[in-house]
Amino acid sequence: MQVLRHAAGFILLFMASAGLVQAGQGSRVLLDGLWTRAQLAGTPADHVVSRPYSKPADITPPLRLEPVARLAEVPAGSRGVIRRVHVPAGDKVLALTFDLCERASNRTGYRTEIVNFLRGQGIAATFFAGGKWMRSHPEQTMQLMADPLFELGNHSWTHANFALTDEAETRDQVLWTQAQYELLREELARRADGRGLGAEMAAVPASMTLFRLPYGRNAPETLERLAVMGLPVIQWDVLGEGGAGTARDMALRAAGEVRPGSIVLMHANAVPRHTHEIVPVFVDELLRRGWRFVTVSELLAMGRAETVQDGYFERPGDNRQFDTGYPGKGTLHPAPRPEAGKAAQ
Ligand SMILES: [Zn+2]
């Protein structure tokens, strides 16, 4: 088995060095069979983020409350918050990740330039999508699902703060999102069948197998709850959108912080302002320095995960501020401030 795994690794490595690698899982035939290039490229309308509280919050659950597929429990050694992976020294490999966050109180966007750039350059990435985001962006979700460059992970239903949610709420946030993935995968399969491409669905994962904590927050019991649901917790050791200055400054700063086995946090939901400008500079700089990009699942298969027990951004405790300020246990934006003059009431 070990020999087989080494052989598979060698073949993958060979394919990567030859530029042939299919980084994630999926099918290019399926992607190109179901969408035109123009449909995949999207339009600026995809970037629109609705104003919080312009409509009532959407707290409706998905059409299926429990996923059909059940995952095996996470093994004991991988139950912490994973921040990076120890790969052989000098192995210039990293995982680029994008969160697609969406709370109950608005609809976020989809930064097409990021995905178009990654597709154009053949750069692998992992997208952690909220379940409600997937429901409000079905086409984009199915495209990411079908694309062999990309992998999809779970980012909770409506961006709940898992340091605050109880067991039932945690379960719903996670399993509703797993169920939404299945609903869209079934729609993808129907479309594939309609085009005579049903066999390609074998390459599309049946479930998401990774989880990212909203706000990077967890309670001690959260990790056990997620482990029972079969989802390792993936955080990051590099903030891709951090610090001051221009997008170029942020990109070069992040590129300078990357280590072998790093996991880099960015967003593709059109909320952070500069990400679509950061990505090309960051990627080009790392390619120039000889780095290669893999999905998180591929990175996890390359070495031992470095874990902590309490998620954070850069330093332990630096995300506790998010325990206040976002009502509904993190699932809502702060209420609009009353206008001056009405405040006294
Ligand atoms: Zn998020």
Side-chain angles (χ1 to χ4, degrees):
M1 191 61 209
Q2 196 64 21
V3 174
L4 273 179
R5 209 175 297 141
H6 278 300
F10 174 77
I11 292 164
L12 265 180
L13 209 65
F14 169 76
M15 288 170 71
S17 60
L20 299 170
V21 75
Q22 300 274 292
Q25 295 179 72
S27 157
R28 188 77 218 185
V29 171
L30 190 59
L31 191 68
D32 293 336
L34 298 185
W35 291 279
T36 65
R37 276 170 177 255
Q39 285 169 331
L40 288 175
T43 72
D46 297 324
H47 307 160
V48 174
V49 178
S50 75
R51 211 161 53 81
Y53 293 104
S54 58
K55 290 179 182 164
D58 181 355
I59 55 165
T60 57
L63 292 174
R64 179 183 298 164
L65 298 180
E66 300 258 340
V68 174
R70 291 300 165 131
L71 304 172
E73 288 194 17
V74 175
S78 303
R79 292 195 173 196
V81 174
I82 297 169
R83 292 187 61 82
R84 66 183 277 248
V85 175
H86 291 283
V87 297
D91 191 354
K92 293 181 167 183
V93 62
L94 76 153
L96 183 52
T97 72
F98 296 90
D99 290 359
L100 295 162
C101 323
E102 188 168 286
R103 297 184 180 84
S105 42
N106 81 337
R107 180 188 188 278
T108 61
Y110 179 67
R111 203 82 226 192
T112 56
E113 304 99 313
I114 295 172
V115 182
N116 294 341
F117 174 81
L118 298 174
R119 280 202 179 112
Q121 301 285 312
I123 301 296
T126 301
F127 291 80
F128 289 98
K132 178 170 162 282
W133 187 94
M134 293 197 287
R135 186 174 66 181
S136 60
H137 299 78
E139 292 299 317
Q140 292 91 342
T141 303
M142 287 188 286
Q143 291 164 4
L144 294 173
M145 206 182 273
D147 196 320
L149 270 181
F150 304 140
E151 123 180 275
L152 269 172
N154 184 326
H155 194 39
S156 86
W157 181 252
T158 42
H159 215 261
N161 181 333
F162 280 18
L164 307 178
T165 49
D166 65 24
E167 185 164 10
E169 291 162 338
T170 302
R171 217 180 113 78
D172 284 350
Q173 285 281 330
V174 173
L175 295 185
W176 290 5
T177 304
Q178 293 296 101
Q180 182 63 49
Y181 176 95
E182 285 184 354
L183 290 169
L184 288 170
R185 191 183 181 281
E186 288 164 15
E187 169 63 16
L188 186 66
R190 277 190 289 276
R191 292 190 193 182
D193 279 342
R195 298 282 177 93
L197 297 171
E200 298 296 321
M201 285 303 294
V204 179
S207 305
M208 297 183 289
T209 56
L210 303 171
F211 184 82
R212 172 158 283 163
L213 294 162
Y215 311 98
R217 289 290 287 134
N218 65 288
E221 56 273 25
T222 305
L223 302 180
E224 200 57 32
R225 290 169 182 163
L226 286 162
V228 168
M229 291 187 273
L231 292 164
V233 178
I234 311 300
Q235 297 299 102
W236 54 80
D237 68 324
V238 175
L239 295 179
E241 302 145 324
T246 64
R248 185 173 174 78
D249 295 335
M250 293 181 208
L252 296 180
R253 183 182 305 113
E257 290 175 5
V258 164
R259 297 175 289 169
S262 273
I263 299 171
V264 180
L265 169 68
M266 296 203 200
H267 294 76
N269 61 346
V271 173
R273 276 188 209 157
H274 300 296
T275 315
H276 62 289
E277 296 163 1
I278 294 171
V279 171
V281 180
F282 176 81
V283 169
D284 287 348
E285 178 65 15
L286 288 174
L287 288 177
R288 196 178 63 76
R289 296 188 202 169
W291 288 77
R292 68 187 204 281
F293 295 79
V294 296
T295 61
V296 169
S297 289
E298 289 172 317
L299 191 63
L300 289 172
M302 289 178 188
R304 185 177 55 80
E306 178 179 305
T307 61
V308 295
Q309 289 305 302
D310 207 9
Y312 57 91
F313 277 78
E314 288 183 288
R315 278 168 292 282
D318 67 359
N319 54 350
R320 299 225 168 122
Q321 54 176 309
F322 295 115
D323 292 359
T324 54
Y326 288 93
K329 300 188 181 182
T331 65
L332 300 169
H333 287 82
R337 279 197 280 172
E339 291 166 41
K342 290 185 184 167
Q345 297 177 23

